[in-house]
Amino acid sequence: MEETSFISSSAQAAVPFLTKWQAPSNIALIKYWGKTEPQIPKNPSLSFTLSSSVTTTEVDFTPNPSGAFQFEFYFEGKLKPDFHPKLNSFFERISPFIPWIRDYALKINSQNSFPHSSGIASSASAMAALSLCLMDRERKLDATVSDETFFQKASFLARLGSGSAARSIQGPVTLWGKNTIQSSASDLYATPFGIDLHPVFTSYQDTILLVDKGSKPVSSSQGHQLMYNHPFAEQRFIQATTHLTDLVSLMKSGDLEGFIRIVETEALSLHAMMMTSNPYFILMQPNTLAIIQKVWDFRTATKMPLCFTLDAGANVHLLYPEANKEAIRIFIASELAVHCEGGQYLFDQVGSGAKKV
Ligand code: DP6
C-alpha cells in the first residue's frame, strides 16, 4: 500500500466528539534499530504485545471556528506543556493524512498503568492510544472504513509518532517492516502476525525488572541516528532479517531452545550496536549484567526456558512460558528483586491489543 492511500478525503463539517482508547506497550523480540525518513525501518521487527502495561488516552474534539488547529495535553489530569513540542511535530507529520484535524481544538488526557518514572518506554503505547482516538473520529466521518483499514491506519499514524508504536495496536504478536516471510508486510504499518504460532506463545509471560527508573542518557531517536555511518550497520540489518526468518520457524514449532538463542542474541546485538556507535554509549548497568548472569545460571541448573531481552535501557524483560510461572516467580523474588531499583518489578504477559474504553 502507498502512503497516499492513507490520505482521508472526508469533507464533513466538524462536530463535537469524545473518545477514549487503551493501547498496550510492546516488547520487541527482533529489534528495530536504524531508520530512514519518514520513520522507515532499516530491518523488519517482531514483538509481543503486552497486556497490563497500557496507556489510556481520552481525546475531546471541539470544533474550532478560528480554523487554526490547537491542542492541550494533560498527563494524569495535569497540563503538561513540556510534551507539546513532541506532539506538535507529530500533528504536523500526520495532518496531511487527516486534514479534517485542522477544524478542531483537542483536549488530550493520558495516563499510564505503570509508574511514570519506571524507565519503561511509554511513547509506543501513548502514540498508539492517541492514534486510535484520531482514527475513531475519522471512522465517524466515514462509516465505510473497515476494521482492517482502521487498525492499519492507526498503526501508520502511530509509526509517525514513534516507530515501535506501530506495533502497539494489535496482538498478540505483531510484525512491522517488509520481509520475505510475509509478502503483505509493510514498512508503513505493523500487522498482527502468526495465527499458526505454537500455542505456548499465546500466554507467554513478561516480567519487567526495573533496574533503573530514571530517564535514559541517550534517547532511542539519538541511537537510531547513530546507525548512520555505523561500521557494523549493514551487517546488523542483515542479521535482524535472518533472525526474523529463523525465529518465525522456531515459534511455529515451539522450539524454546532456539527461541531463547535468537531472542537473547537480538538483545545483545542491539546493545553491541550502542557500544560500537560513534560516539559510543552503554545503557546496561551492573545490575543488568548481574541479572543476565543469574538467568543463565538458573537456566543451566533447572533447564527451565527462562530468557531475557532488553530494550533501549537498563531494565530487563524476562520471558517465559505460563507453565513455568510459579517456579520462575519464586526465583525472581528471591534472587533478582535485589538488583531492581526499590526492589520493583512488573508482571505482564502477551495481550490481544488495544481496546476502546
Ligand atoms: C530498542 O520506537 O523508541 O525499543 O522511532 O525514534 O521513536 P523512534 O524509536 P523507538 O525505538 C525502539 C527501539 C527499541 C527496539 C524496538 O522496539 O524494536
Side-chain angles (χ1 to χ4, degrees):
M1 193 156 357
E2 298 295 310
E3 245 198 343
T4 47
S5 57
F6 286 108
I7 301 174
S8 161
S9 56
S10 172
Q12 282 188 32
V15 288
F17 185 69
L18 182 70
T19 185
K20 196 179 202 179
W21 279 79
Q22 188 178 83
S25 189
N26 71 78
I27 180 68
L29 304 174
I30 302 294
K31 310 291 181 181
Y32 144 63
W33 199 244
K35 61 179 171 180
T36 53
E37 280 293 323
Q39 297 281 94
I40 300 298
K42 291 293 272 181
N43 62 260
S45 57
L46 184 86
S47 53
F48 278 148
T49 303
L50 298 184
S51 173
S52 312
S53 308
V54 295
T55 298
T56 305
T57 298
E58 181 183 85
V59 182
D60 194 351
F61 295 80
T62 308
N64 183 13
S66 77
F69 170 71
Q70 44 179 279
F71 68 90
E72 277 181 341
F73 177 76
Y74 294 78
F75 185 71
E76 291 174 353
K78 291 199 191 88
L79 188 63
K80 291 279 176 185
D82 316 1
F83 287 80
H84 283 200
K86 187 162 188 194
L87 282 167
N88 220 2
S89 20
F90 174 58
F91 283 118
E92 267 170 26
R93 268 196 139 145
I94 64 170
S95 63
F97 302 99
I98 51 166
W100 51 263
I101 191 92
R102 296 190 194 115
D103 301 332
Y104 282 102
L106 265 49
K107 189 173 170 191
I108 306 163
N109 210 329
S110 206
Q111 61 191 57
N112 292 337
S113 64
F114 39 89
H116 53 256
S117 56
S118 59
I120 296 186
S122 58
S123 58
S125 50
M127 288 299 177
L130 177 56
S131 300
L132 285 155
C133 291
L134 297 171
M135 280 312 294
D136 212 15
R137 178 68 201 112
E138 181 155 306
R139 184 146 65 173
K140 272 275 182 286
L141 296 167
D142 178 2
T144 63
V145 172
S146 67
D147 272 359
E148 192 187 4
T149 307
F150 178 87
F151 288 118
Q152 263 177 19
K153 186 165 172 184
S155 173
F156 171 86
L157 296 176
R159 181 195 110 244
L160 293 171
S162 177
S164 54
R167 302 187 313 243
S168 266
I169 304 286
Q170 290 174 284
V173 177
T174 63
L175 176 62
W176 170 41
K178 280 191 193 146
N179 61 75
T180 50
I181 41 171
Q182 190 171 26
S183 57
S184 60
S186 171
D187 284 345
L188 301 180
Y189 52 86
T191 39
F193 178 77
I195 36 164
D196 50 354
L197 294 182
H198 190 279
V200 70
F201 295 110
T202 57
S203 59
Y204 228 69
Q205 306 291 302
D206 178 6
T207 299
I208 309 163
L209 304 180
L210 305 179
V211 169
D212 184 0
K213 301 198 273 173
S215 56
K216 296 178 285 191
V218 180
S219 71
S220 291
S221 297
Q222 290 166 313
H224 285 290
Q225 292 315 313
L226 293 173
M227 288 302 278
Y228 280 105
N229 301 322
H230 191 294
F232 308 131
E234 287 315 312
Q235 202 54 44
R236 163 62 198 152
F237 302 142
I238 294 168
Q239 181 196 42
T241 308
T242 311
H243 276 165
L244 175 71
T245 312
D246 294 348
L247 186 70
V248 165
S249 120
L250 294 160
M251 287 178 80
K252 282 185 180 166
S253 66
D255 176 343
L256 294 183
E257 212 175 290
F259 171 82
I260 288 171
R261 194 178 58 248
I262 294 193
V263 167
E264 292 190 346
T265 308
E266 273 292 301
L268 295 176
S269 269
L270 167 72
H271 283 258
M273 289 301 108
M274 299 172 189
M275 290 191 249
T276 47
S277 294
N278 180 13
Y280 46 77
F281 60 106
I282 301 180
L283 296 182
M284 289 189 285
Q285 289 188 2
N287 276 322
T288 313
L289 296 178
I291 290 167
I292 291 174
Q293 189 58 55
K294 283 190 177 175
V295 166
W296 286 341
D297 292 346
F298 176 84
R299 200 162 70 218
T300 307
T302 64
K303 307 276 177 267
M304 275 190 222
L306 169 67
C307 73
F308 72 87
T309 188
L310 306 165
D311 56 18
N315 295 337
V316 182
H317 288 248
L318 293 183
L319 305 177
Y320 50 97
E322 193 179 21
N324 300 101
K325 190 159 121 176
E326 246 174 76
I328 288 176
R329 290 190 176 183
I330 292 172
F331 166 65
I332 291 170
S334 63
E335 296 287 329
L336 304 183
V338 67
H339 300 293
C340 300
E341 198 176 331
Q344 234 187 325
Y345 50 90
L346 306 169
F347 292 124
D348 211 331
Q349 64 176 68
V350 297
S352 53
K355 55 177 192 253
K356 189 167 170 150
V357 284

